[in-house]
Amino acid sequence: MTLVPYGIFNVKRSLLHFILGRFISLVVGFGFFILLAKALKIEDFGFYIILVATLEIVGLMSNFGSFFISQRYIPELMQTNDFFNLKKLISFLLVFRLFTLLISGIVLYFLAEILLNYIAYLTYLWVLQIYLLVIIIENFIRYLEMIFDSLLLQGYTQISVLFRNSIRFFAVLYLYFLTTDNSIFLNQIVVIELLSGILGAFLTIFLLFKFLRQLPDSEKNFKSGLDFTRYFAFARPGYYAQLISLSYSVHILKLLVIKFFGATETALFGFTSTFIAMLARYMPSVLLVGMIRPLFITAYNEKDQFKKLHHLTNITIKINLLAVLPIIIYFAVFGEEVVRMLVGDKFSNSGVYLFLFSIVMLLQIYHVMLSQLNMAHEGGKNLLSASFYSMFGVLVGLMFFPLLMQYSIVLGLILSEVIFCSVLLKKLLKDKVVNLPEFKSMFVFLGVSLLSFVSVGLIHLFYAGDSLGYLIGMLLFLLSTFYLALYIYKPFTTYERDLINKVLPLPYFCF
């Protein structure tokens, strides 16, 4: 039996699941985060930011290349209908991932006191020790969701994410209105995340094995075994690159902020960076990467001199700009007012952070996209090289610490992302894996962005409102100006519009 797992029907179905699931998750995820920011004491919220950063750090450090193997070779086996080896690979990866997480959790348990003593937060020791269970469970679930993405099972991914986020949100919402002063304690949040993680793990494992049981048996000629030497040879440089990138990531920088500036500044830094990270996670530009990763790999394997891959790349770049540029413009003008509207004066003077992190978001989108193209190319050494050179961006930023203080950290992060994207893009251009979009479309995006920025900036200069109605009105005006101008000048080619409309549930893409 031959299946077409990455055909137009499955792409369209996955896109529909992605739109429906992520829209609901957007509301639930932001609701949970804003409730925490409002209800927790600022010191507790600052430490919660550190807990989440620890979860991300452990998740990356402990994968030992398993991320790259699942992202690169599961689509390859699925594309060839080699279901026998596909099941063997997934089974191995699940056992391997769980083992590495358990070992990491045990090591961190014994190091917890040393780490908290370093940042002078030893009173939170028991909170971190309990949260280690959350770290293990949540990272294991995320790995299962990564496998779903590689199999183009966006529906399962959305169910998994929405299930856990809904439990957390409604539990916190109940506690928020249960008390007269709307206060929540950090230990309550940890227990809620632990319980939602346990339930989520059962659901996600059930969904994966439900899918695997439905796959037919492979033909006998596929039963030749798995090439783990090839898999780990590809994954090893990528994993080293992840470790290098992790050393100057936002998560590590949060530890520096809490060490040198304390919990209050960490809460401010963490609120804005997490706000943007959540926004980026729910933007089509990033979400589509998880869905089109297997499409990049299958397009790379086409014998057409990478023409199909080039079309996918150009469309992805333009969709990135279509989604992210209005956000950067909006936060450049209304960043401070947005934070004040969401959480009051609790995080004052955070507008600059919000704008700078929105630029980081745009660059990290390109970071992810170029990394996926490089993965299809099996260019592990390219990734390692780009990660190494980008490390110097944060170091340069820290050199300006006496002048720019805490903002030097974010500016260094921006420089690091610029270096990473430049180095990797140069190598991919050399190998003809990627080509640049035509100049006309980039000029259109630049011109429309300047027009939109000047328009909303002049209005805000004269009216300077900060009410909810005013901010919503300005957002609608910005979006109307931006997308109307794009509709007129059309940065997408006719071929690109037709291709996008083939996979959209409603084929009305007109830019």
Side-chain angles (χ1 to χ4, degrees), residues 231-287:
Y231 299 165
F232 280 99
F234 162 70
R236 196 176 300 114
Y239 173 64
Y240 295 154
Q242 280 188 329
L243 293 182
I244 294 174
S245 298
L246 181 63
S247 66
Y248 59 84
S249 67
V250 174
H251 311 302
I252 294 293
L253 296 178
K254 289 173 184 176
L255 300 179
L256 294 179
V257 173
I258 199 170
K259 171 66 177 178
F260 295 108
F261 296 101
T264 300
E265 188 69 25
T266 304
L268 193 156
F269 183 94
F271 174 81
T272 50
S273 63
T274 306
F275 182 89
I276 292 296
M278 290 182 64
L279 190 61
R281 194 179 303 131
Y282 293 110
M283 291 294 293
S285 46
V286 170
L287 291 172

Side-chain angles (χ1 to χ4, degrees), residues 38 271 336-350:
K38 291 172 70 70
F271 174 81
E336 195 69 39
E337 290 80 2
V338 168
V339 176
R340 191 180 304 119
M341 183 268 295
L342 291 174
V343 292
D345 295 327
K346 195 173 186 178
F347 298 101
S348 57
N349 300 321
S350 56

Side-chain angles (χ1 to χ4, degrees), residues 30-312:
F30 270 109
F32 174 75
F33 179 65
I34 296 301
L35 280 175
L36 291 188
K38 291 172 70 70
L40 286 175
K41 296 179 182 178
I42 194 165
E43 294 82 5
D44 285 353
F45 183 77
F47 191 73
Y48 177 78
I49 293 297
I50 297 302
L51 291 178
V52 175
T54 306
L55 185 149
E56 302 289 350
I57 292 168
V58 172
L60 281 175
M61 290 186 65
S62 64
N63 84 86
F64 293 102
S66 59
F67 286 5
F68 295 94
I69 295 175
S70 65
Q71 292 171 349
R72 177 61 180 82
Y73 296 109
I74 286 178
E76 185 172 275
L77 293 171
M78 190 68 182
Q79 183 187 21
T80 58
N81 295 311
D82 187 358
F83 304 125
F84 178 79
N85 282 321
L86 175 67
K87 294 174 183 178
K88 284 177 59 177
L89 179 59
I90 291 176
S91 299
F92 167 80
L93 289 174
L94 291 180
V95 174
F96 181 80
R97 185 68 184 119
L98 184 59
F99 175 76
T100 58
L101 283 170
L102 288 172
I103 295 299
S104 301
I106 293 172
V107 172
L108 191 56
Y109 178 85
F110 291 105
L111 293 178
E113 186 172 351
I114 298 174
L115 295 174
L116 292 186
N117 188 54
Y118 172 74
I119 61 175
Y121 278 84
L122 200 56
T123 54
Y124 288 92
L125 176 61
W126 68 272
V127 178
L128 176 57
Q129 289 174 336
I130 295 175
Y131 196 78
L132 290 177
L133 294 173
V134 179
I135 290 174
I136 294 171
I137 295 170
E138 178 66 20
N139 276 302
F140 185 69
I141 295 173
R142 291 184 183 185
Y143 191 68
L144 288 166
E145 292 168 352
M146 185 179 294
I147 292 175
F148 289 156
D149 287 343
S150 295
L151 294 168
L152 211 60
L153 297 173
Q154 273 293 317
Y156 286 178
T157 301
Q158 306 313 319
I159 291 172
S160 176
V161 172
L162 186 58
F163 179 77
R164 298 196 316 283
N165 286 349
S166 296
I167 293 176
R168 294 168 185 167
F169 172 70
F170 287 111
V172 171
L173 187 65
Y174 173 77
L175 292 176
Y176 182 78
F177 288 109
L178 183 66
T179 58
T180 55
D181 58 350
N182 302 129
S183 61
I184 302 175
F185 298 103
L186 185 57
N187 60 336
Q188 294 174 312
I189 302 301
V190 172
V191 171
I192 290 172
E193 295 215 2
L194 179 59
L195 293 176
S196 66
I198 293 172
L199 295 174
F202 281 116
L203 174 64
T204 312
I205 292 171
F206 168 78
L207 291 174
L208 177 62
F209 283 95
K210 174 178 177 289
F211 171 78
L212 293 179
R213 284 197 303 268
Q214 294 173 347
L215 293 178
D217 293 330
S218 301
E219 299 294 333
K220 290 184 179 180
N221 61 339
F222 279 124
K223 300 183 181 181
S224 56
L226 297 170
D227 191 354
F228 285 106
T229 301
R230 175 196 174 198
Y231 299 165
F232 280 99
F234 162 70
R236 196 176 300 114
Y239 173 64
Y240 295 154
Q242 280 188 329
L243 293 182
I244 294 174
S245 298
L246 181 63
S247 66
Y248 59 84
S249 67
V250 174
H251 311 302
I252 294 293
L253 296 178
K254 289 173 184 176
L255 300 179
L256 294 179
V257 173
I258 199 170
K259 171 66 177 178
F260 295 108
F261 296 101
T264 300
E265 188 69 25
T266 304
L268 193 156
F269 183 94
F271 174 81
T272 50
S273 63
T274 306
F275 182 89
I276 292 296
M278 290 182 64
L279 190 61
R281 194 179 303 131
Y282 293 110
M283 291 294 293
S285 46
V286 170
L287 291 172
L288 283 172
V289 169
M291 196 186 78
I292 68 174
R293 181 188 300 123
L295 302 183
F296 275 178
I297 294 172
T298 54
Y300 177 83
N301 292 329
E302 296 279 350
K303 306 300 181 182
D304 62 351
Q305 298 181 324
F306 304 131
K307 289 182 180 179
K308 185 176 180 181
L309 188 64
H310 292 165
H311 286 309
L312 283 173

